[in-house]
Structure formats: structure tokens, C-alpha cells
Amino acid sequence: MKLGSIEAGGTKFVLAVGNENFECVKRVQIPTTSPDETIQKTIAFFKENPVDSLGIGSFGPIDINKKHETYGFITSTPKVGWKNVDLLGQLKMALQIPMAFTTDVNASAYGEMMATNESSLVYFTIGTGIGGGAVQEGHFIGGVSHAEMGHQLVKRHAQDLDFAGVCPYHQDCLEGLAAGPSVKARTGIAGEDLPADHPVWDIQAYYIAQAAMNATLTLAPAKIVFGGGVMAKEGMLVRVQKEFVKLLNAYVALPTNVEEYLVLPVIADNGSATEGNFRLAKNELK
Ligand code: ZN
């Protein structure tokens, strides 16, 4: 059995082939350019490397409601040229195999949930943008659409009251205040070049901890996993854990200690979405 994964991101598409044990046997990255070029390259890869089914985790917003005529479309994205693109339809037409379609963060949440043997899990990516996916007993949280936890509202840090925020839709939502570009907007220095002891990381951690608190209070997951470049910064997870404990103030009991509750991905090399996609692809064959 061969399983395929497409992690469709705003800057790159990661295409992978896995075996039935969800081990990656081939993996390539292509830059996200125009929809036509990117989708044609994706189709060419899977014609050269045939798979039995495919899991797709995409940037969004996307339409995941199978009853809609626009099911499988990337919908209202601010990414130039990608609005109202029928991603799934073009792939299905060309490849004619079963496909699962969800958000990139849902795919990551699913991969991490299965890999950690939990029954529920929330996954946040804190990078160029912020997204959150949630899965409970194998089902993704959502009704008419998928969750958009990256754009939740957060309380301002006392030392951050004058910063406008960088979200083009809401300015100072979570993504506007805590995604990677907000670091550069505040300091003039890109996050990867900013020292790990710079005070702006405490401000970032304050917002990320609020997202974790909101997820805890609204979804009560067994675990919250943080991926993405901002969380890869040295010491960031510990800052978030400390802020989270302060904010929550022991109002609810956690399923475990905070070090095991707020964690980085267990799947190495940013592979959470790929493994999740393999597993979702396999489910399509049942
Ligand atoms: Zn926003």
C-alpha cells in the first residue's frame, strides 16, 4: 500500500509518499507559485509516484463541507491568485484516487493525536501565520466549516498597548499579535535573528498562552501541541508554560502536569501534517 500526502502551504507544498506504517519513503518540496503551476507540478509528482489514496492538509480558509458545491476549494485566502481555487477537484480529476481534505493544522493535530495515543488534542502552528486544529475521538472539531483559532481575540500585554498588530483582517487578533511577522514589526529584526532573551518573546508568550488557555477552557483536550518557527525559538515553550499556569490560576485541573500538557510535536522534522495526511489517506481506503 502506498499513501500520499500533500501539505499545501502558502510558501511551499510538501509532497510525500509513505508506506502502510506511515513511514515517509519519498518527500519533495515545491514553492507555492500560481495555482496552475503548483497544482500541475503536484499532479506530475503523483503520476510519477503513484499512491493508492491521498491526504491533503491545506492552508485556508478552505471549504471542507462535502454538501457544498465549493467543497475542496481554497476560499477567502488573502494569498494572491489563490482565492476560489478548486484544489481538490483538480487533483481528483487528474489522479482518480480517494482523497481526504482538511486544513494543514487539522492534519497535524490528527498526526500528533495518533502518534501520542491520545483521544483528543489541539495543535497550534505559530509561524508566518497562526492556525489551530482540534480533533476529538478521531473527529475534527467544526460544524459548517473548520476552526480558525489563529484569529481569536486576546487580551493586550501591558507593554504592548501601542502595537497595531499585523493581521490584514483584524489587526490585533492572535495572529496579528503573535505570528512571526509581528516580531519583526515590533523590533525591526526577524524572529530568527532576535536573541532568545529579548523581552519581546515574553509578550509573544503571553498571547500564545492565552490561546492555550482558551483551548483548554473551550475544548478540554488531553494535550496541546505547538509547532511552527516561533515555538522553535529557544526557551519559548517554557515561557508559554509559565504564562499559561499564571493565567489559568488553577481554575481547572489539567489532565497532566503542564510540561506534558503543553508540548512540542513528537513527530520529528515538521512531519506532523505529513503523518496525519498518510493516516487520513489510509482511512479513505477503509
Ligand atoms: Zn486576524
Side-chain angles (χ1 to χ4, degrees):
M1 180 193 294
K2 288 222 170 116
L3 303 166
S5 165
I6 300 174
E7 191 185 348
T11 54
K12 62 177 190 288
F13 272 41
V14 181
L15 314 176
V17 178
N19 62 25
E20 62 187 20
N21 299 319
F22 315 113
E23 292 155 343
C24 194
V25 295
K26 183 155 193 177
R27 180 176 164 121
V28 300
Q29 290 187 11
I30 58 170
T32 308
T33 55
S34 70
D36 278 351
E37 184 180 32
T38 314
I39 293 169
Q40 284 316 311
K41 280 185 181 169
T42 301
I43 289 168
F45 174 84
F46 284 108
K47 290 218 160 161
E48 256 173 58
N49 303 279
V51 292
D52 297 300
S53 62
L54 190 50
I56 304 158
S58 177
F59 72 102
I62 58 177
D63 190 340
I64 57 165
N65 191 325
K66 289 184 178 173
K67 291 179 186 153
H68 289 172
E69 278 185 16
T70 51
Y71 170 64
F73 280 51
I74 293 174
T75 56
S76 55
T77 179
K79 188 166 173 58
V80 177
W82 283 84
K83 202 172 274 199
N84 302 321
V85 166
D86 184 8
L87 176 61
L88 181 66
Q90 293 185 55
L91 294 168
K92 275 196 163 164
M93 181 111 69
L95 298 171
Q96 306 275 339
I97 51 171
M99 295 183 191
F101 184 69
T102 190
T103 61
D104 45 5
V105 279
N106 269 351
S108 295
Y110 195 78
E112 287 291 321
M113 186 192 80
M114 298 300 284
T116 56
N117 229 352
E118 298 290 0
S119 59
S120 61
L121 186 140
V122 169
Y123 180 95
F124 284 105
T125 182
I126 318 281
T128 313
I130 297 183
V135 59
Q136 189 161 14
E137 305 292 352
H139 296 283
F140 295 120
I141 300 294
V144 292
S145 186
H146 54 83
E148 278 287 355
M149 298 184 221
H151 295 262
Q152 63 187 275
L153 299 178
V154 288
K155 185 165 72 171
R156 283 299 188 109
H157 189 284
Q159 264 93 59
D160 196 41
L161 299 175
D162 297 330
F163 178 59
V166 297
C167 173
Y169 288 88
H170 320 109
Q171 284 80 51
D172 64 347
C173 66
L174 175 66
E175 179 171 299
L177 293 173
S182 73
V183 175
K184 190 168 185 188
R186 285 191 189 88
T187 63
I189 303 168
E192 50 270 36
D193 301 323
L194 197 69
D197 60 355
H198 193 286
V200 83
W201 295 118
D202 283 329
I203 293 174
Q204 304 288 121
Y206 180 67
Y207 297 128
I208 298 163
Q210 289 183 57
M213 169 149 166
N214 293 342
T216 300
L217 297 178
T218 53
L219 298 168
K223 209 179 261 306
I224 299 177
V225 181
F226 294 100
V230 171
M231 293 307 297
K233 194 78 189 175
E234 188 194 335
M236 200 60 193
L237 180 66
V238 172
R239 285 173 197 255
V240 171
Q241 288 167 342
K242 280 187 184 159
E243 287 293 340
F244 172 82
V245 168
K246 266 195 270 176
L247 285 167
L248 192 62
N249 199 20
Y251 178 63
V252 292
L254 298 177
T256 178
N257 60 52
V258 72
E259 291 81 11
E260 286 172 35
Y261 180 64
L262 303 183
V263 295
L264 299 178
V266 294
I267 300 168
D269 303 325
N270 298 319
S272 310
T274 298
E275 186 170 323
N277 281 333
F278 288 155
R279 289 179 181 274
L280 292 167
K282 191 173 180 182
N283 292 349
E284 291 295 312
L285 296 171
K286 277 174 193 162

